[in-house]
Amino acid sequence: MTLPSTALSLPEPYAAALRTGRVPVVGRLEAGRCLLDLRSVPPEDDERLAEAVRAARPATGR
């Protein structure tokens, strides 16, 4: 059975950083991307997820 959903697609290196972050986030790896299934995130946790993704972003040398 296929369930409708939307996923946030991030580069694969985000997966490890998200799992080990202050607020652990577990996604799935598919075709070289880290996918975060938003169906499993309650709306009240959207900002916490956004913060975790921002914290996991690799440094760009700026």
Side-chain angles (χ1 to χ4, degrees), residues 5-6 9 18 24 46 52:
S5 183
T6 300
S9 177
L18 285 166
D46 285 352

Side-chain angles (χ1 to χ4, degrees):
M1 175 196 288
T2 301
L3 299 174
S5 183
T6 300
L8 177 62
S9 177
L10 301 166
E12 187 172 344
Y14 274 71
L18 285 166
R19 278 193 309 272
T20 59
R22 187 179 62 79
V23 176
V25 176
V26 178
R28 73 178 190 274
L29 295 178
E30 188 175 304
R33 302 295 293 177
C34 173
L35 300 177
L36 304 179
D37 189 341
L38 299 180
R39 175 186 61 219
S40 62
V41 179
E44 59 269 17
D45 286 339
D46 285 352
E47 186 53 38
R48 285 178 47 175
L49 177 60
E51 287 175 20
V53 169
R54 284 190 293 268
R57 186 176 69 212
T60 60
R62 291 184 214 189

